């Protein structure tokens, strides 16, 4: 017979059909294969993950068999009893399935040539369907036929498969469909785009055949409600809306095909904790009656050793934020005091300071191109002479600015760029305000810069995706969603380049300074969210007008960065780093170390641990860490010159590095002197050197400017250059060479 002859060899096997299935979404997985986020990729049809028959509710299976193929488990592909019971014309009529079995319908879904259109359902197609159905029944099991049909059949509009219709119309997985929902879904098979009244009428008939006639009560109203709902985002068995910002970032960069499952470096459990912690803290700050006007925040967690990003929370979510689509992890924000550890690290590396050096926390006026720059402390009070350790730990602004004067904005900006911070201007553009974080950074780059300190001063890139194990950076797809992520592609676009920005010794000293709870007491007290029961090093920051609030720090294993603020840049009300971002940082760190200790890092070779006393009792005696050759057992305000490396002694205070001097031809040359001066008392044995030649004078020298580029050096008795600056003189030429080269008076 014709219907028993084998169809074309192109009919696939069940395993091939399941393997080639593509969900309409991209799927982002965590490092263990757990779904984190789905993003729509195929706009032609909406398909969910492949659903096994065991994951479909018994009610739906019953409704389908009752409605579409009552003798499904009895026939061999063609229901001959149904054929005999129907008139020939009705059997092949284009407006009814008649005796078309589920197996015959599946044949049409597998082969486009056998798929009838609305206006044309030919006898030839029916015969081809019957032949293919018999072939399928001989090679496929009944459960495979039913499972493939449920996943391939279109329901309504763009919805294809039981997963899509169940999650989009009813907001639940197929395993949870009850009898009424199942009847409505099955009713769509014969009239996918019919009005609600017609669909509910058909569904009521199915319910009666199922013995569930009572569920017909109110069915039409329920159907209208279901059809009026906006299409919801499909979910997977385990996923919630966990990582939308990272998902958009990853998929917009690679644009993989629909159905691609990409394994990220995120940890789903940590991601959930980070999301809930951020939302909980912001709700606490938004209590009615004492709201702090803060609705946005972001968190990033990085593994110190690998650079893997373990948590990426870009927003507080739509329930709290009016700009939930903005990714706070990658948005540019003013850094505030979070740049200070890098500033002190550079000053220590250049031996301009030690952790024990004294800095004057008193009012200071610094001339700039736009007038005077007058930095203030956070609390508007000054502490007098403090050590660099105290100045950094308590986040004092004036000592930081004095430190930047030593380092110079130009050199500090270069260091920040080496750490990966996205500064778009030179240091001279920011000026002395760079010490207080006037530059814009992102939470991701700032957190990774702190990770460099945790890694002994070496900066390296981060990883968002797990490494591709087969072929480099190539992206492939996981075709079978039932493999629990075991066959999913894992790719990495991370940067493996490493840059040694600070030495391990400098990084150790600065880490010890920002881990010192005693050093924080002048500003934060002993009991603050910055103090943990295990070793951590952390710094807070608040930008101008309280628009940005930061807490960034690290343990031996993890670096955690938190930003709190408003996406639109509106200022917060009475929120500082220690009250806004720090509690979130602390809670995330506690979760990371709930079962893992974080011990203080071992001192690297070369650092010296020396007992220090302050002669004027400026600070209590203590043991301090020093770079080799820079230690001082006694520090006195009256004797800062007792040893060369003490504080600002060996520093050129003026001109600053990169200065450009413009000569005025209308002013007599003798009145246009450029003053060379040191920051403190004249060091014993010190010598000025200009363009490689000795220059007479002591602490302050008036030099008649000569056009050109020049290098000024401060040299000790051994000939070692202790500090140097470069500057340029432009403008009028003076004829009296002898007078112009007169070095001092």
């Amino acid at each position: 017979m014709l219907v028993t002859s084998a169809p074309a060899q192109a009919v696939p096997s069940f395993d091939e059909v399941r393997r080639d299935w593509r969900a309409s979404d991209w799927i982002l997985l965590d490092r263990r294969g757990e779904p984190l986020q789905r993003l729509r990729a195929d706009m032609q049809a909406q398909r969910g993950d492949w659903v096994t028959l065991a994951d479909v509710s018994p009610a739906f299976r019953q409704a389908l068999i009752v409605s579409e193929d009552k003798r499904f488990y009895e026939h061999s592909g063609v229901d001959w009893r149904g054929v005999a019971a129907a008139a020939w014309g009705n059997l092949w009529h284009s407006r009814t399935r008649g005796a078309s079995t589920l197996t015959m319908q599946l044949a049409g879904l597998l082969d486009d040539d056998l798929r009838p259109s609305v206006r044309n359902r030919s006898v030839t197609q029916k015969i081809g369907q019957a032949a293919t159905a018999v072939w399928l029944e001989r090679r496929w099991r009944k459960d495979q036929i039913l499972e493939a049909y449920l996943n391939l059949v279109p329901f309504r509009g763009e919805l294809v498969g039981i997963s899509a219709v169940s999650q989009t119309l009813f907001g639940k997985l197929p395993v949870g469909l009850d009898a009424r929902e199942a009847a409505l879904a099955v009713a769509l098979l014969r009239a996918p785009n019919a009005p609600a009244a017609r669909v509910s009428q058909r569904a009521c008939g199915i319910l009666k055949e199922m013995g569930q006639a009572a569920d017909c009560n109110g069915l039409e109203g329920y159907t209208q409600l279901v059809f009026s709902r906006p299409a919801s985002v499909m979910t997977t068995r385990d996923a919630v809306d966990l990582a939308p910002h990272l998902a958009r970032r990853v998929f917009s960069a690679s644009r993989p095909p629909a159905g691609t499952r990409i394994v990220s470096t995120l940890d789903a459990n940590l991601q959930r904790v980070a999301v809930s912690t951020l939302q909980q803290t912001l709700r606490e700050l938004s209590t009615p009656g004492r709201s702090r006007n803060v609705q946005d925040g972001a968190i990033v967690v990085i593994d110190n050793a690998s650079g893997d990003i373990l948590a990426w929370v870009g927003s507080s979510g739509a329930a709290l934020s009016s700009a939930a689509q903005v990714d706070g992890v990658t948005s540019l924000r003013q850094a505030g005091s979070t740049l200070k550890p890098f500033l002190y690290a550079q000053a220590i590396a250049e031996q301009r300071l030690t952790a024990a050096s004294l800095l004057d926390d008193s009012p200071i006026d610094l001339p700039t191109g736009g007038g005077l720059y007058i930095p203030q402390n956070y609390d508007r009070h000054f502490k007098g002479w403090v050590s660099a350790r105290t100045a950094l730990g308590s986040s004092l602004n004036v000592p930081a600015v004095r430190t930047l004067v030593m380092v110079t904005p130009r050199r500090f900006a270069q260091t920040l760029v080496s750490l990966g911070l996205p500064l778009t201007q030179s240091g001279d553009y920011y000026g002395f305000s760079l010490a207080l974080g006037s530059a814009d950074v992102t939470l991701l780059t700032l957190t990774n810069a702190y990770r460099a300190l945790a890694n002994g001063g070496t900066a390296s890139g981060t990883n968002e995706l797990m490494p591709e194990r087969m072929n480099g950076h190539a992206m492939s797809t996981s075709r079978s969603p039932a493999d629990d992520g075991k066959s999913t592609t894992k790719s990495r676009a991370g940067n493996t380049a490493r840059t040694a920005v600070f030495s391990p010794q400098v990084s150790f000293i600065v880490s010890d300074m920002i881990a010192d709870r005693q050093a924080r007491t002048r500003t934060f007290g002993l009991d603050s969210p910055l103090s943990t029961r295990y070793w951590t090093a952390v710094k807070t920051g608040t930008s101008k007008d309280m628009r940005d609030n930061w807490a960034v720090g690290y343990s031996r294993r993890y670096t955690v960065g938190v930003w709190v603020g408003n996406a639109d840049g509106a200022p917060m009300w009475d929120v500082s780093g220690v009250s806004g971002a720090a509690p979130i940082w602390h809670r995330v760190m506690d979760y990371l170390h709930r079962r893992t200790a974080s011990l203080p890092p071992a001192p690297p070779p070369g650092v010296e641990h020396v007992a220090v006393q302050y002669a004027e009792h400026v600070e209590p005696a203590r043991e301090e860490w020093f770079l080799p050759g820079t230690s001082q057992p006694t520090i006195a305000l009256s004797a800062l010159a007792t040893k060369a490396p003490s504080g600002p002694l060996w520093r050129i205070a003026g001109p600053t590095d990169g200065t450009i001097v413009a000569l005025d031809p209308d002013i007599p040359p003798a009145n246009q002197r450029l003053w060379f001066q040191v920051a403190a008392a004249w060091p014993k044995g010190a010598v000025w050197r200009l363009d490689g030649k000795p220059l007479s004078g002591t602490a302050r020298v008036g030099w008649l400017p000569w056009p050109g580029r020049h290098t000024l050096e401060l040299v000790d008795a051994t000939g070692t250059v202790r500090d140097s600056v470069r500057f340029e003189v432009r403008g009028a030429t003076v004829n009296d060479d002898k007078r112009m080269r007169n070095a001092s008076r």
Side-chain angles (χ1 to χ4, degrees):
M1 295 178 61
L2 178 61
V3 293
T4 61
S5 60
Q9 296 298 317
V11 177
S13 68
F14 172 79
D15 289 338
E16 290 172 331
V17 171
R18 181 172 175 175
R19 182 198 65 197
D20 293 338
W21 174 257
R22 292 286 188 277
S24 59
D25 296 339
W26 294 311
I27 305 171
L28 185 70
L29 307 176
D30 91 329
R31 60 195 303 111
R32 292 181 297 272
E34 180 178 340
L36 293 169
Q37 195 75 33
R38 304 176 72 105
L39 292 179
R40 184 76 177 272
D42 185 351
M43 299 302 171
Q44 303 302 313
Q46 189 167 0
R47 300 177 300 275
D49 291 337
W50 184 275
V51 178
T52 65
L53 193 59
D55 289 327
V56 178
S57 72
F60 186 90
R61 284 179 277 168
Q62 181 186 3
L64 181 66
I65 297 299
V66 163
S67 172
E68 299 300 303
D69 194 348
K70 292 182 176 65
R71 287 177 288 276
F72 173 71
Y73 290 103
E74 301 171 15
H75 63 67
S76 299
V78 179
D79 184 3
W80 297 110
R81 290 173 58 185
V83 172
W88 183 266
N90 181 63
L91 178 63
W92 306 110
H93 199 281
S94 62
R95 289 177 296 174
T96 177
R97 284 193 175 91
S100 291
T101 65
L102 289 174
T103 315
M104 292 173 65
Q105 294 177 44
L106 177 61
L109 296 172
L110 294 176
D111 188 342
D112 289 340
D113 292 336
L114 301 180
R115 183 175 303 175
S117 66
V118 175
R119 297 181 179 178
N120 180 25
R121 185 173 298 183
S122 68
V123 173
T124 302
Q125 284 180 323
K126 281 292 186 180
I127 293 174
Q129 285 183 359
T132 302
V134 172
W135 186 91
L136 286 170
E137 291 275 354
R138 289 177 177 176
R139 290 161 176 80
W140 290 29
R141 300 190 311 269
K142 286 286 188 180
D143 63 310
Q144 293 176 330
I145 292 172
L146 194 56
E147 183 175 313
Y149 177 85
L150 290 174
N151 283 281
L152 297 177
V153 67
F155 280 86
R156 183 179 182 85
E158 63 177 6
L159 303 178
V160 175
I162 180 63
S163 177
V165 72
S166 176
Q167 296 179 80
T168 303
L169 292 186
F170 305 109
K172 59 174 63 175
L173 296 170
V175 72
L177 293 175
D178 59 25
R180 185 167 63 166
E181 294 162 342
L184 279 176
V186 170
L188 293 172
L189 294 175
R190 294 198 181 183
N193 298 308
R198 183 178 171 189
V199 174
S200 63
Q201 182 181 14
R202 169 69 179 150
C204 183
I206 296 173
L207 286 168
K208 290 177 179 178
E209 290 191 76
M210 295 171 63
Q212 304 279 346
D215 286 332
C216 289
N217 295 330
L219 185 60
E220 182 174 348
Y222 176 71
T223 305
Q224 292 175 342
L225 177 64
V226 169
F227 286 1
S228 65
R229 291 172 181 166
S232 60
V233 177
M234 290 193 299
T235 62
T236 63
R237 180 180 302 276
D238 302 308
V240 292
D241 191 22
L242 274 179
H245 301 89
L246 179 60
R248 286 196 295 268
R249 173 184 172 94
V250 169
F251 292 119
S252 63
S254 56
R255 291 291 176 184
T260 300
R261 300 163 71 86
I262 298 180
V263 181
S264 72
T265 58
L266 299 191
D267 181 299
N269 293 330
L270 174 61
Q271 184 78 3
R272 290 189 186 93
V273 169
V275 170
S276 63
T277 299
L278 175 63
Q279 293 175 347
Q280 177 185 345
T281 304
L282 291 183
R283 287 190 180 99
E284 292 171 355
L285 292 172
S286 302
T287 303
R290 52 189 183 93
S291 173
R292 306 295 182 86
N293 193 41
V294 52
Q295 64 177 13
D296 293 297
I299 303 173
V300 66
V301 179
I302 309 176
D303 181 276
N304 290 342
S306 66
D308 288 351
I309 296 175
L310 304 179
W312 181 304
V313 182
S315 169
S316 57
L320 294 172
S321 173
S322 59
Q325 299 300 313
V326 176
D327 188 352
V329 173
T330 57
S331 298
L332 288 168
R333 304 285 178 182
Q334 204 170 72
S337 293
T338 57
L339 301 185
K340 289 177 182 175
F342 311 121
L343 173 60
Y344 283 93
Q346 185 165 353
I348 292 172
E350 296 178 357
Q351 297 191 12
R352 302 177 186 279
L353 284 178
T354 70
S357 297
L358 290 175
L359 294 167
D360 188 11
D361 182 26
S362 61
I364 182 175
D365 299 345
L366 295 172
T368 67
L372 290 178
Y373 177 60
I374 308 174
Q376 297 285 332
N377 285 325
Y378 173 76
D379 59 3
R380 300 285 178 176
H381 294 97
F382 298 96
K383 308 299 189 294
W385 287 94
V386 295
S387 69
R389 175 177 289 272
T390 298
L392 175 56
S394 292
S395 197
L396 303 179
N397 287 343
V398 174
V401 174
R402 293 185 189 275
T403 302
L404 183 58
V405 173
M406 306 180 206
V407 170
T408 75
R410 180 183 66 84
R411 290 205 301 269
F412 183 44
Q414 292 172 346
T415 296
L416 296 177
V417 171
S418 298
L419 287 164
L421 295 176
L423 273 64
T424 57
Q425 305 291 337
S426 68
D428 292 334
Y429 172 85
Y430 302 104
F432 298 120
S433 66
L434 188 58
L436 309 185
S438 60
D440 288 339
V441 300
T442 69
L443 178 61
L444 178 60
T445 56
L446 181 62
T447 305
N448 196 45
Y450 272 72
R451 173 178 159 249
L453 290 176
N455 287 336
T458 299
S460 61
T462 57
N463 309 306
E464 301 164 8
L465 305 180
M466 295 297 285
E468 168 60 53
R469 295 172 179 171
M470 298 300 294
N471 54 356
H473 297 286
M475 186 76 68
S476 60
T477 61
S478 169
R479 299 188 176 185
S480 174
D483 57 14
D484 295 327
K486 294 177 183 177
S487 300
T488 52
T489 292
K490 300 178 181 180
S491 63
R492 177 179 297 240
N495 177 17
T496 58
R498 295 179 176 272
T499 303
V501 182
F502 301 118
S503 70
Q505 293 77 16
V506 169
S507 299
F508 172 81
I509 293 173
V510 172
S511 296
D512 188 69
M513 292 166 71
I514 58 176
D516 186 351
R517 66 182 63 190
Q518 294 290 339
R520 303 188 197 116
T521 55
R522 295 204 180 192
T523 298
F524 304 109
L526 283 174
D527 185 17
S528 77
L530 303 179
S531 299
T532 56
R533 65 182 186 277
Y534 41 87
W535 185 88
T536 52
V538 59
K539 185 72 186 70
T540 61
T542 303
S543 68
K544 184 179 179 181
D545 297 328
M546 290 190 178
R547 298 179 186 275
D548 303 287
N549 189 238
W550 308 84
V552 189
Y554 47 91
S555 64
R556 291 290 296 276
R557 184 171 178 181
Y558 306 103
T559 301
V560 177
V562 179
W563 169 81
V564 166
N566 293 299
D568 61 1
M572 298 169 284
W573 302 335
D574 193 25
V575 177
S576 65
V578 76
S579 63
I584 301 171
W585 176 88
H586 188 116
R587 291 168 188 170
V588 173
M589 271 293 186
D590 273 355
Y591 175 80
L592 290 167
H593 293 282
R594 65 198 184 281
R595 291 189 294 268
T596 304
S598 177
L599 300 176
V607 293
E608 300 175 358
H609 205 204
V610 177
V612 174
Q613 290 187 339
Y614 291 88
E616 286 83 2
H617 303 289
V618 175
E619 291 197 358
R622 62 171 181 264
E623 291 191 340
E624 189 59 88
W625 295 100
F626 295 91
L627 295 181
T630 66
S631 63
Q632 282 183 272
T634 302
I635 298 177
L637 292 175
S638 59
L640 287 177
T642 57
K643 189 160 184 165
S646 60
L649 182 62
W650 290 92
R651 177 180 61 80
I652 299 174
T656 59
D657 193 57
T659 296
I660 297 177
V661 178
L663 294 175
D664 190 333
D666 296 328
I667 299 177
N671 295 334
Q672 298 190 62
R673 291 182 180 273
L674 181 61
W675 293 95
F676 302 156
Q677 52 193 343
V678 295
W682 182 246
K684 184 178 180 180
V687 176
W688 290 110
R689 194 161 66 190
L690 180 65
D691 298 331
K693 298 179 180 180
L695 188 66
S696 61
T698 54
R700 195 165 185 263
V701 175
W703 178 69
L704 291 172
W706 183 255
R709 292 185 173 89
H710 305 279
T711 300
L712 178 65
E713 297 170 319
L714 186 60
V715 183
D716 65 16
T718 67
T720 301
V721 177
R722 291 304 188 111
D723 196 12
S724 67
V725 295
R726 291 180 174 84
F727 63 93
E728 182 178 357
V729 178
R730 299 176 182 175
T733 302
V734 182
N735 293 325
D736 190 346
D737 292 355
K738 183 176 181 180
R739 279 198 310 157
M740 282 296 291
R741 294 177 185 179
N742 182 16
S744 62
R745 70 176 187 180

